[in-house]
Amino acid sequence: MADSHSSTMKSANDATTSSSSSSGKESSANDDSTSPKRYIYTQVDMEHFKHSSAHKELLGFVSTMGKGLTSSNNTKSSSPHSYDAHAPLNDLSPALASLHGSLSCMSTWIDPTTTDGLPPDKEVKARFGNPVFRTWHQRLTERSGDIIKCLMECHGKYVNYNNMESLETAPTKEEILKECSQLGYQAASSSDDSSSTPTDHEISPKENEIITELRCYLHDAFGHPIRLDYGTGHECSFIVFLLSLCKIGCFNWTGAGGGANPTSPE
């Protein structure tokens, strides 16, 4: 956790005041006034973070998510999520279905059988990661904006689904999740800004701030492109990325945050 950053998260409904990411120089894609900034450098800084509301919220998020996958916390009103590999979109929200599609596409980026695959260079002897990861990560920075815009668009498009559900022409939830997953896959498969936009509306300044901030967490979630290493700080960045999505309502079909979002410990 020595690689932690801090952010006020104003763009994401004040989601958290501190987050974790990799240390060292930030890439130019992260060089923005709305990007998270590093604040934890010393043990004193770390102790301050440990006693912060952001730390409490982050632990509560992880704890609640974990309990949701176990049977020990099962009650008559709730049951643990059962993952079905044949139906991976079950119980997801439109935004998370989009993210699932993007992550599925990202897993193909190292496939040597694809035209733009980036398989590891087996001839290189490296202490940690493979140098090809730098190209993989550059692709991520180029496409991350589309990935996040797409999931936010999917969330916004169906945020009033409860009002649509009674209409005869309304798509089913299964159809919506499949659509959003396909759009998310497309967003990660191309750096073309126009390839993955579900709706045609201008990105507001606030939405742009959210996208800028979320991109930083997503970039840092997969490792350091210079040091070619991966550690707990990078893992934490992905958790903060998910927490941020939760805070802006993307874990739900409706609403804009809070409520049923799993952000608070019991």
Side-chain angles (χ1 to χ4, degrees):
M1 295 290 293
D3 293 333
S4 295
H5 286 232
S6 177
S7 170
T8 59
M9 293 285 288
K10 291 181 180 178
S11 56
N13 290 343
D14 294 326
T16 181
T17 55
S18 186
S19 62
S20 176
S21 181
S22 57
S23 61
K25 294 182 178 179
E26 296 182 10
S27 65
S28 58
N30 291 3
D31 189 15
D32 187 275
S33 60
T34 60
S35 298
K37 301 298 190 297
R38 182 179 180 183
Y39 283 91
I40 299 179
Y41 290 93
T42 67
Q43 188 60 36
V44 173
D45 297 332
M46 178 58 71
E47 289 302 316
H48 176 73
F49 170 68
K50 287 180 179 180
H51 292 86
S52 67
S53 59
H55 182 267
K56 180 180 180 180
E57 186 171 35
L58 186 60
L59 289 183
F61 177 74
V62 174
S63 176
T64 305
M65 292 289 286
K67 289 178 180 179
L69 300 175
T70 65
S71 59
S72 60
N73 198 42
N74 186 19
T75 65
K76 293 182 179 180
S77 61
S78 64
S79 60
H81 174 72
S82 179
Y83 176 73
D84 184 352
H86 300 291
L89 302 182
N90 282 357
D91 299 326
L92 295 184
S93 66
L96 294 186
S98 175
L99 178 60
H100 181 276
S102 294
L103 292 173
S104 297
C105 179
M106 290 165 61
S107 69
T108 69
W109 291 355
I110 62 172
D111 188 346
T113 64
T114 60
T115 56
D116 61 347
L118 299 169
D121 187 347
K122 297 182 179 180
E123 301 299 322
V124 175
K125 294 182 179 181
R127 182 182 178 187
F128 295 115
N130 194 282
V132 177
F133 174 69
R134 293 192 177 103
T135 307
W136 187 98
H137 197 275
Q138 180 60 34
R139 179 177 295 179
L140 172 62
T141 61
E142 292 170 353
R143 302 181 185 181
S144 60
D146 282 349
I147 291 171
I148 294 169
K149 280 188 286 185
C150 184
L151 69 85
M152 290 177 63
E153 291 276 3
C154 284
H155 173 65
K157 183 177 181 181
Y158 296 109
V159 71
N160 294 315
Y161 177 77
N162 287 346
N163 297 330
M164 301 166 50
E165 199 171 7
S166 60
L167 301 177
E168 292 184 2
T169 57
T172 65
K173 283 191 174 183
E174 290 75 14
E175 291 172 336
I176 291 173
L177 293 178
K178 183 177 180 180
E179 173 199 356
C180 290
S181 179
Q182 292 172 341
L183 289 168
Y185 192 99
Q186 294 170 14
S189 65
S190 174
S191 57
D192 181 2
D193 289 339
S194 62
S195 64
S196 59
T197 305
T199 60
D200 298 321
H201 84 273
E202 294 292 330
I203 301 297
S204 69
K206 182 177 180 180
E207 288 174 322
N208 191 58
E209 287 183 11
I210 294 174
I211 292 168
T212 298
E213 183 167 348
L214 291 178
R215 288 184 70 196
C216 294
Y217 302 141
L218 190 61
H219 296 168
D220 288 341
F222 292 91
H224 199 286
I226 304 301
R227 299 197 306 263
L228 298 177
D229 61 0
Y230 181 84
T232 55
H234 302 108
E235 292 176 321
C236 191
S237 286
F238 190 70
I239 297 298
V240 172
F241 176 72
L242 294 179
L243 172 58
S244 300
L245 292 181
C246 179
K247 292 294 291 186
I248 60 175
C250 288
F251 274 40
N252 295 330
W253 275 82
T254 59
N261 284 332
T263 59
S264 301
E266 293 184 354

